[in-house]
Amino acid sequence: MKYLPLHGIVVLEFNQYYSGLCAGLRLADLGARVIKVEFESGSQQHCSSAIPQLEIKDDLTWQTLNRSKESFVVNPEVAGDRVCLQQLIREAQVIIHDFHIQQLQQLGLGYQEVKILNPTIVHTSISRLGDSGWKEACSNDVLAQATSGIAYTTGDATDPPTIIRFKISEYLTGNQAVQFIIAALIRAHKLGRGACLQLSLLETLLDLQFEFLTTYFHSDALPLRAAYKNAHPLLSAPYGIYQTSDGYIAIAMMPLHKLNQVLQSDELGNFSQAEAFSRRDEIKCIIGARLLTQPTHFWMKGFRALDLWVMPVLSWKDLRNCNGYKLLDMEFRVLMEGKKSFIATRCPITINGFRLKNDKPAPLKGEHTIVLKSTFLH
Amino acid sequence: MNQLLHGTLVLDFSQFLSGPSCGLRLADMGARVIKVERSGTGDICRQLYVSDTTLEGGESTIFHAVNRNKESYCINLKDENALHKIKKLMAKADVVIHNFRPGVMQKIGLDYPSVFRINPQIIYGEISGYGTEGEWSHLPGQDLLLQAVSGITYNNAEGTQSPVPLGVAVADIMAGTHLAQGILACLLQRLRDNKGAYVQISMLESLLDFQFEVLTRYLNKEDCNQMAGNVSDRLSEARLPDGIYKTADGFIAIANASLASIAQLEGCSSLKQCIDTKDLPRKTGQIKNLLAEAFSAKSTAAWLSILKEAHVCCTNVLNYEELLKSEGYKLLQMEQEVISGGIKVRTTRCPVWVDGQILASAKGAPALGEHNNAIDREFCL
């Protein structure tokens, strides 16, 4: 591919948390030039006073989240550096930040200020301490999950509310930001207008639950997790992950009589399709007991013959041995300073058959300051 | 005008959730999205009733949540005449989306090479389950099945627990989101080079990307045992005491806390014996029990006040009923009312604010074929 789609777009990334860092990484993988603007230690303290903890924990995480970006270091207390930053803002098309309002204003990076320097800029705020005033719910993935109701979708009915063990609100907020940033760049290109985008972890999680919330608005009944092998509170039996005699198997939606052509259970035969939701726990218990009696490959053979929606449950170790995984060509190696390297995973978007593997390592702090000054600051 | 994609025409052949969630986001941005549905049944999601709930008129709530703000053009794709109409429509479109299994669009002559001949500037986006080649490529791309294959269900389980799937359709939503990213990037590029593009997403790749941080750890640390919970760095042993705890009258979540700070709190002194040792992993079980015991002794309100006093990030755990009653939720203006076939449907809105405004549209999900006549007339089909 001669040019990646975001070739020529300059993004200034003022991010310290996972969500914004994910957004910057995706934009870089799609071809944008992503410049991390970092503050010198003196000012870093000044900025981080209200931030409880930075997300970056070790070198590998740093590399994973900042691969293919550049680093520009400024000290906002030094007049010359502030001029540099302003010039960089004039040259950029996108700003992403995760400061809260006071910090943003202290730094002179609010949309109104930035717009004066660059009227077509796409200014993106991933709010932390909540523009809405809902401080806790917006500051952290676990708290956003706890507030959003999503803790009542995973786990069984008898479990306490359960946190999804991935930073789902952070990841998805960063990915939502990418969509809207590019859409705003399209409008900027057509109409010469900049944009102010605002996102939060909590709104992202509520949108993610749109099917649950819309159903709740109309049923007025809280979604109830299945008591046995819950996989989706709104769906009827057999939907779930079950144990076999030697592993686990996932069964998606299908009519009970079809399922029973494979399971051959007299007990299951007593239930009608109309009862698949209202009596799902009883039905799922029967299915679970039956599946335990044979190994996964035995059941898979039966399900495959009827083209039913079933797959074995794999760990990463199992998955990496499968041809289906190898064909995806997900992994690639990134070379770092001093002959060190690590295995990264590529961008999941394939364009014109071209798989995107940006193998530029994460920058050292300030690595590109001098080059950027000479390029942009004449 | 905060419509970022005003003037963009999207033909959406997709069904269920993954592709339609991409179309929904493009519609939120101001694109005109026409669902192309097969005659008779239409999008299978129309019949996907959940928790025995239906809207007035017997329609699926899920279908309405994911297809608001779209039009419906219903057609028999096996009929030559109808296919001819679709090709004429494609000549005018900016974007095509589908999520059929590999080979289906080729069979009806609407795969990318064929559509490229009709409209070389088109951005053609598709979602498959597992990619377009190999032993899995013909298998159905269904959310739970992709969760099962991607390793996510092991990583969502604590310790040596059985695999735990996410109770939300994570594979569908992530694939739809990634498709929108690819389509938008190519639309931007097209403004500069006037060329179309072919964007491919698979739900498996999308779920691997969703896990990329922990997966990278795993790939670079051959010896780390996925099942032991030390790969998933969220809420694993090292992150104690973060998590959800049962209180005397409900549940509380805490985050970014340290054991030492919790041990200082009233009623938690029993934890002090555990925090000095370097042998934390072996004491995990004991620590969990002590934490559970301490939190269960007081009400949620009492804990919130103690924890806030000590500057520990915390919140009470809400269900939808409690969430909807709270002040913070009302400030978010997360709900909107759309009109579908004359009926008011209460649903959620797009989560992103553009130029200080929410993106709302009163247009609800379409009835099957609702816009056939209008589209035929407008495009002279």
Side-chain angles (χ1 to χ4, degrees), chain A residues 131-364:
Chain A
D131 300 339
S132 67
W134 205 343
K135 198 170 144 182
E136 288 77 14
C138 295
S139 66
N140 170 284
D141 177 61
V142 172
L143 302 187
Q145 288 197 40
T147 303
S148 74
I150 205 169
Y152 285 97
T153 62
T154 297
D156 294 340
T158 48
D159 292 332
T162 303
I163 294 291
I164 291 169
R165 290 162 67 90
F166 292 87
K167 299 183 191 87
I168 189 165
S169 68
E170 299 260 9
Y171 175 88
L172 194 50
T173 303
N175 275 270
Q176 294 282 9
V178 169
Q179 304 179 66
F180 279 81
I181 286 168
I182 306 172
L185 286 170
I186 291 172
R187 186 181 69 173
H189 194 280
K190 286 185 179 167
L191 305 181
R193 270 187 63 184
C196 170
L197 306 175
Q198 290 165 289
L199 299 93
S200 72
L201 303 185
L202 186 59
E203 284 161 293
T204 297
L205 281 187
L206 294 173
D207 172 57
L208 175 63
Q209 299 172 83
F210 64 161
E211 40 172 351
F212 290 95
L213 283 165
T214 305
T215 303
Y216 176 65
F217 297 156
H218 295 275
S219 67
D220 241 352
L222 288 171
L224 205 56
R225 296 174 292 180
Y228 180 78
K229 309 286 186 197
N230 175 61
H232 193 300
L234 301 181
L235 295 178
S236 42
Y239 204 78
I241 285 181
Y242 298 87
Q243 193 161 11
T244 63
S245 68
D246 67 343
Y248 295 91
I249 198 167
I251 303 185
M253 48 283 270
M254 67 184 64
L256 294 177
H257 75 271
K258 282 258 184 190
L259 173 69
N260 211 18
Q261 284 176 28
V262 180
L263 298 192
Q264 313 244 327
S265 153
D266 293 340
E267 271 181 292
L268 184 57
N270 292 330
F271 290 87
S272 76
Q273 190 58 38
E275 295 167 315
F277 186 78
S278 58
R279 298 179 72 184
R280 72 176 165 185
D281 291 334
E282 294 165 72
I283 298 173
K284 289 176 81 174
C285 285
I286 293 167
I287 297 167
R290 184 83 186 108
L291 286 167
L292 258 180
T293 60
Q294 296 287 346
T296 299
H297 75 88
F298 172 88
W299 295 120
M300 283 308 300
K301 216 175 135 190
F303 287 122
R304 279 279 178 273
L306 296 176
D307 196 24
L308 292 176
W309 291 9
V310 179
M311 282 300 268
V313 180
L314 306 182
S315 69
W316 281 333
K317 195 174 165 203
D318 304 327
L319 177 67
R320 285 182 89 208
N321 287 325
C322 293
N323 201 36
Y325 175 80
K326 290 174 189 163
L327 284 169
L328 292 178
D329 190 22
M330 279 304 287
E331 302 172 14
F332 67 103
R333 203 164 267 285
V334 176
L335 288 175
M336 298 181 287
E337 285 274 297
K339 288 192 176 172
K340 281 201 298 182
S341 73
F342 75 99
I343 303 169
T345 55
R346 66 171 169 81
C347 173
I349 303 166
T350 299
I351 298 174
N352 295 333
F354 191 83
R355 284 168 169 164
L356 308 177
K357 296 176 181 171
N358 192 332
D359 63 357
K360 200 163 96 180
L364 301 172

Side-chain angles (χ1 to χ4, degrees), chain B residues 177-204:
Chain B
T177 304
H178 296 151
L179 183 64
Q181 292 173 350
I183 287 171
L184 289 161
C186 293
L187 279 171
L188 178 63
Q189 170 80 329
R190 192 179 75 168
L191 289 172
R192 303 186 287 189
D193 68 7
N194 212 24
K195 283 185 181 149
Y198 182 28
V199 182
Q200 291 167 286
I201 302 293
S202 75
M203 293 163 79
L204 181 51

Side-chain angles (χ1 to χ4, degrees), chain A residues 160 165, chain B residues 156-161 227-230 232 234-246 254 259 262 267-268 270-275 279-297:
Chain A
R165 290 162 67 90
Chain B
N156 195 41
E158 195 178 321
T160 52
Q161 244 187 351
M227 298 286 290
N230 55 352
S232 180
R234 271 283 316 282
L235 301 184
S236 60
E237 324 318 8
R239 291 301 299 271
L240 277 175
D242 289 6
I244 287 182
Y245 296 92
K246 193 167 178 11
I254 61 175
L259 271 179
I262 301 293
C268 296
S270 58
L271 274 168
K272 282 183 180 152
Q273 48 173 316
C274 298
I275 56 172
D279 200 19
L280 269 182
R282 285 230 324 258
K283 294 207 166 175
T284 300
Q286 189 190 349
I287 294 171
K288 276 185 184 163
N289 290 339
L290 289 171
L291 283 165
E293 197 182 316
F295 280 107
S296 66

Side-chain angles (χ1 to χ4, degrees), chain B residues 49-60:
Chain B
Y49 307 115
V50 292
S51 59
D52 291 348
T53 301
T54 56
L55 291 175
E56 216 176 301
E59 302 218 284
S60 146

Side-chain angles (χ1 to χ4, degrees), chain B residues 60-374:
Chain B
S60 146
T61 47
I62 293 195
F63 178 80
H64 278 261
V66 72
N67 291 295
R68 61 179 165 78
N69 209 2
K70 299 180 189 175
E71 299 171 31
S72 169
Y73 190 75
C74 163
I75 204 156
N76 176 4
L77 286 169
K78 284 172 188 153
D79 173 58
E80 273 303 316
N81 207 5
L83 205 57
H84 182 69
K85 284 182 172 186
I86 285 297
K87 286 180 178 170
K88 272 177 88 174
L89 208 46
M90 284 208 171
K92 304 266 172 61
D94 300 289
V95 175
V96 165
I97 298 171
H98 83 83
N99 63 356
F100 292 116
R101 295 194 206 185
V104 171
M105 283 300 252
Q106 197 176 359
K107 224 182 267 172
I108 50 178
L110 294 178
D111 56 337
Y112 180 60
S114 314
V115 175
F116 179 83
R117 281 195 291 276
I118 302 166
N119 179 354
Q121 270 97 45
I122 206 139
I123 310 297
Y124 188 101
E126 66 185 25
I127 297 177
S128 64
Y130 304 83
T132 51
E133 39 177 13
E135 66 202 299
W136 291 338
S137 61
H138 68 285
L139 297 175
Q142 194 284 330
D143 191 85
L144 181 64
L145 306 187
L146 265 304
Q147 287 198 43
V149 171
S150 70
I152 205 170
T153 63
Y154 276 109
N155 294 301
N156 195 41
E158 195 178 321
T160 52
Q161 244 187 351
S162 300
V164 179
L166 277 62
V168 288
V170 63
D172 285 328
I173 297 297
M174 296 312 170
T177 304
H178 296 151
L179 183 64
Q181 292 173 350
I183 287 171
L184 289 161
C186 293
L187 279 171
L188 178 63
Q189 170 80 329
R190 192 179 75 168
L191 289 172
R192 303 186 287 189
D193 68 7
N194 212 24
K195 283 185 181 149
Y198 182 28
V199 182
Q200 291 167 286
I201 302 293
S202 75
M203 293 163 79
L204 181 51
E205 287 163 274
S206 286
L207 278 189
L208 291 169
D209 186 69
F210 173 59
Q211 304 174 85
F212 82 114
E213 186 197 357
V214 277
L215 178 56
T216 304
R217 264 169 200 283
Y218 174 77
L219 294 176
N220 291 283
K221 212 157 105 191
E222 289 294 347
D223 57 343
C224 65
N225 175 2
Q226 196 181 161
M227 298 286 290
N230 55 352
V231 176
S232 180
D233 65 351
R234 271 283 316 282
L235 301 184
S236 60
E237 324 318 8
R239 291 301 299 271
L240 277 175
D242 289 6
I244 287 182
Y245 296 92
K246 193 167 178 11
T247 64
D249 62 349
F251 293 96
I252 192 167
I254 61 175
N256 286 345
S258 70
L259 271 179
S261 64
I262 301 293
Q264 296 297 320
L265 303 176
E266 189 189 322
C268 296
S269 55
S270 58
L271 274 168
K272 282 183 180 152
Q273 48 173 316
C274 298
I275 56 172
D276 291 335
T277 169
K278 287 196 173 64
D279 200 19
L280 269 182
R282 285 230 324 258
K283 294 207 166 175
T284 300
Q286 189 190 349
I287 294 171
K288 276 185 184 163
N289 290 339
L290 289 171
L291 283 165
E293 197 182 316
F295 280 107
S296 66
K298 293 188 182 73
S299 71
T300 301
W303 275 119
L304 287 174
S305 110
I306 292 168
L307 290 163
K308 278 179 184 165
E309 184 110 323
H311 301 290
V312 174
C313 299
C314 60
T315 189
N316 44 338
V317 181
L318 305 182
N319 63 25
Y320 289 157
E321 192 184 347
E322 295 156 340
L323 174 74
L324 265 58
K325 278 188 194 145
S326 58
E327 269 313 302
Y329 177 80
K330 287 169 192 158
L331 286 171
L332 291 178
Q333 305 169 51
M334 209 46 221
E335 297 177 17
Q336 63 176 339
E337 217 168 50
V338 297
I339 311 289
S340 176
I343 297 168
K344 283 183 185 164
V345 178
R346 185 176 157 204
T347 184
T348 53
R349 64 164 170 86
C350 173
V352 182
W353 296 67
V354 178
D355 300 336
Q357 293 180 316
I358 54 175
L359 305 178
S361 160
K363 200 159 118 189
L368 182 60
E370 183 178 336
H371 302 90
N372 274 34
N373 290 337

